[in-house]
Amino acid sequence: MARSYTVIGTGKLGSALSISLLKAGYEIVSLFNHHPEKAETLAGQMGTSVISGVWPESPGQLGEVVFICVPDDAIAETARRLSLFDLSGRFIVHTSGTLPASVLKPVEQQGAVTAAFHPLQTFNQNSDESVFREIYISVQGDETATEELSIWARALKARPVIISEEDKLRLHIAAVFASNYLVTLMEMAGDVMQDEELKRQLPIMFNPLLSQTVENLAKKGTGPSLTGPLSRGDITTITRHLNQLNENPELAESYRLLGRKTLPIVERNGNVDPELINRLRELLSQ
Ligand SMILES: NC(=O)c1ccc[n+]([C@@H]2O[C@H](COP(=O)([O-])OP(=O)(O)OC[C@H]3O[C@@H](n4cnc5c(N)ncnc54)[C@H](OP(=O)(O)O)[C@@H]3O)[C@@H](O)[C@H]2O)c1
């Protein structure tokens, strides 16, 4: 079992990971960042001796597991630079959600085994070890590496999920729909409002509603979590909404598309007469 680690790229995720792995009992060897001050400052916070700088001078300055936490576009180049070292017995790991472990291929020729280790979480400069607790971490790549990284994920009190390269990409797209586009939906909700103060307050006002929906989704899935006019087959309300939205054709189009995507859930729930569902589908297709 590997015990020591290096982090290359001491940004939001790299910093949180460096601190959290140390607290989980792993041994930090080194921190590197292309602006070295950042790595040095973080190394100073570790309370233990850590090599820091722009780039390792030799493979001896690397831990057994090397986490590459640079932006996605810089991962391949970082792997290419690492591949100038003999990396026998090392795990080289990146943290991108979209890219597969195979982007690290150059280091495999130098004896390393590779994996992608993607925490399904959002990190900021102040994130500490609590940010990993009970989250899911997708782990993809070489079998030995995914097994090893699963142990590291559990040490962070997270839940590892070993997935294939294709599922990794699909999972990332799914996360964009569920998380990033939730933000977009809030923006669109704001576009419905005219009163600037109400518009500004929407995320706060909707917080209890959203939190409850998210909780219901986690407990019961999509069907039982659906509420609102479509779930009741309330065609009068939907017609009034569409009439109001005539003032903004783009929003009306999005409302109709999302409505059409909601009807299969209503159908599955079986609480609305199929004939009414057909009329709703027609209304939402105009
Ligand atoms: N943040 C998240 O919520 C999150 C969640 C899951 C996965 N990830 C993944 O984690 C990785 C890092 O994301 P992040 O959000 O931590 O990014 P970040 O905060 O921007 O940190 C990136 C780090 O890489 C350095 N860097 C920037 N450009 C570089 C280059 N061309 N070559 C080498 N180093 C470079 C930056 O240094 P300087 O700041 O000094 O320029 C910074 O320390 C990405 O693969 C991302 O997809 C992030």
Side-chain angles (χ1 to χ4, degrees):
M1 262 178 22
R3 295 300 310 163
S4 64
Y5 66 100
T6 286
V7 172
I8 300 178
T10 51
K12 293 186 277 296
L13 175 56
S15 304
L17 191 61
S18 306
I19 292 166
S20 305
L21 286 173
L22 187 70
K23 292 204 171 150
Y26 288 103
E27 296 151 22
I28 186 159
V29 174
S30 48
L31 293 169
F32 299 104
N33 197 63
H34 70 162
H35 294 128
E37 322 80 64
K38 252 170 93 172
E40 282 153 15
T41 306
L42 185 62
Q45 291 164 7
M46 291 288 171
T48 178
S49 151
V50 183
I51 299 164
S52 62
V54 178
W55 190 251
E57 285 166 13
S58 69
Q61 292 192 333
L62 296 171
E64 292 156 280
V65 179
V66 178
F67 290 95
I68 300 177
C69 301
V70 301
D72 289 14
D73 289 346
I75 292 173
E77 172 61 12
T78 306
R80 193 199 59 74
R81 289 185 69 197
L82 276 175
S83 72
L84 301 176
F85 293 137
D86 174 5
L87 297 167
S88 311
R90 288 204 163 72
F91 298 94
I92 308 290
V93 181
H94 74 67
T95 53
S96 162
T98 4
L99 296 174
S102 56
V103 70
L104 302 170
K105 200 130 209 96
V107 299
E108 289 178 1
Q109 283 142 21
Q110 291 288 11
V113 283
T114 58
F117 181 87
H118 178 239
L120 292 163
Q121 175 61 294
T122 171
F123 296 86
N124 59 49
Q125 290 299 353
N126 303 317
S127 298
D128 61 12
E129 71 277 14
S130 63
V131 79
F132 287 99
R133 208 164 290 146
E134 296 193 3
I135 67 164
Y136 288 81
I137 299 183
S138 80
V139 190
Q140 178 265 319
D142 176 278
E143 197 180 328
T144 332
T146 54
E147 278 169 17
E148 180 67 43
L149 267 298
S150 296
I151 299 170
W152 287 56
R154 279 192 284 271
L156 291 168
K157 306 217 171 4
R159 299 159 174 154
V161 187
I162 298 179
I163 55 171
S164 69
E165 182 171 328
E166 188 188 329
D167 281 342
K168 180 178 164 65
L169 180 62
R170 289 182 186 279
L171 192 64
H172 196 242
I173 298 170
V176 169
F177 268 113
S179 175
N180 302 161
Y181 290 171
L182 180 61
V183 177
T184 316
L185 286 175
M186 183 59 82
E187 181 80 9
M188 288 161 76
D191 291 343
V192 176
M193 305 309 296
Q194 271 184 338
D195 183 287
E196 283 303 318
E197 183 51 22
L198 274 176
K199 187 176 181 153
R200 207 181 55 76
Q201 290 283 337
L202 275 196
I204 300 161
M205 280 168 54
F206 286 174
N207 187 12
L209 178 64
L210 286 177
S211 302
Q212 188 61 58
T213 307
V214 170
E215 199 180 316
N216 293 346
L217 279 168
K219 281 189 184 148
K220 309 175 197 164
T222 50
S225 303
L226 185 68
T227 57
L230 276 180
S231 75
R232 298 187 292 270
D234 185 351
I235 198 160
T236 313
T237 299
I238 301 293
T239 307
R240 291 191 71 216
H241 286 180
L242 286 170
N243 288 342
Q244 178 67 43
L245 284 173
N246 271 338
E247 64 187 11
N248 188 330
E250 205 179 43
L251 270 185
E253 192 190 329
S254 305
Y255 185 99
R256 285 196 298 269
L257 173 65
L258 289 165
R260 292 199 298 276
K261 297 301 287 179
T262 307
L263 285 179
I265 311 174
V266 180
E267 251 165 350
R268 273 204 315 272
N269 283 349
N271 303 325
V272 178
D273 181 53
E275 180 49 34
L276 185 52
I277 293 181
N278 282 340
R279 283 173 55 209
L280 280 164
R281 187 169 288 114
E282 227 167 83
L283 181 65
L284 292 164
S285 300
Q286 283 162 15

